[in-house]
Amino acid sequence: MRKKIIIGNWKMNKDKKETENFLNEISKKKFETDKDTIYGIAVPSINIETFSLLKTNEMKISSQDISQFDSGAYTGEISSSMLKSFGVTYVVIGHSERRAYHFETNKTVNLKAVNAIKNGLVPIICVGETLDEYENKQSKEVVGKQIKESLKGLDLSKIVVAYEPVWAIGTGKTATFEYAQEICEFIHSITSKELLIQYGGSVNGSNIKDLLNQPDIDGALVGGASLEVDSFISLISK
Ligand code: PEP
């Protein structure tokens, strides 16, 4: 049986003090998680050290991006091995915000994922259609192409895919459970039944259980609702 994996994405939020406050607060809370559920947070790189020093539970650390290169003259970039040396396990790659604002292509996403795996990180590869594509009923065509090109040559047992319809990210509009399930089932059908597939897009404590009950949805990638301790706990509690 596939495990469940819930990862928060803090995006460009929380400075050092706010990161410390979150971890101090969560360390005082009592909550129970399912032993088969992996959970963690994709933290801004500059706060990963603070996060790794203060975290007191099973929380995994993810980064929000990596360089496709190992080292060298790439000003501003951070490599997989640097992240690994700070205890990072997962790395979000090809988030729609990076595809849109940093012009990342499926090819770049693929190269980053290859580099992550080579250095022992688990890539969380994001795919998803825009509102226009959704309305024009092109979702499967678009997502199918993203999957084919972004996952090219990858060992599917070493990656996670996050299906995130762009129109549902940060908008409060969640895809219906049936629709999210249909696309995740489609992704399984063109990859492998072993692949872990998260859904992302306005997930919160009230809708996560229903989403996770869908047979092809193995977890969630969560932005807004991962920022506050209580709402994060509502995502990961049994
Ligand atoms: C995300 O950042 O990947 C995301 C899904 O954001 P939100 O949960 O806020 O829609």
Side-chain angles (χ1 to χ4, degrees), residues 6-10 14 22 25-26 29-31 33 39-41 59 202-209 220-238:
I6 300 165
I7 302 288
N9 176 13
W10 280 356
K14 294 197 191 293
F22 182 97
E25 199 182 325
I26 201 166
K29 299 273 181 178
K30 284 204 167 38
F31 57 92
T33 57
Y39 61 97
I41 294 181
M59 227 179 326
S202 300
V203 176
N204 56 45
S206 312
N207 58 26
I208 191 162
K209 295 275 181 305
L221 185 58
V222 190
S226 69
L227 286 167
E228 301 304 327
V229 169
D230 286 337
S231 65
F232 181 66
I233 289 177
S234 74
L235 297 168
I236 61 173
S237 297
K238 257 202 214 176

Side-chain angles (χ1 to χ4, degrees), residues 92-172:
V92 177
I93 299 180
H95 190 279
S96 64
E97 287 149 17
R98 293 210 60 86
R99 289 179 184 263
Y101 309 139
H102 301 270
F103 314 107
E104 289 196 1
T105 62
N106 294 330
K107 176 79 189 155
T108 320
V109 170
N110 182 255
L111 290 171
K112 289 184 173 192
V114 168
N115 187 281
I117 294 171
K118 184 178 89 179
N119 289 293
L121 297 180
V122 180
I124 298 175
I125 299 174
C126 302
V127 296
E129 79 283 3
T130 63
L131 184 59
D132 264 6
E133 292 160 346
Y134 170 68
E135 286 175 347
N136 289 323
K137 308 210 175 321
Q138 294 171 308
S139 304
K140 287 188 184 166
E141 186 191 324
V142 170
V143 170
K145 185 172 188 305
Q146 289 174 328
I147 290 286
K148 188 166 168 248
E149 295 178 3
S150 305
L151 273 58
K152 194 169 174 208
L154 302 182
D155 178 343
L156 300 182
S157 69
K158 296 195 170 153
I159 68 167
V160 176
V161 162
Y163 166 58
E164 301 204 297
V166 179
W167 48 270
I169 298 179
T171 58

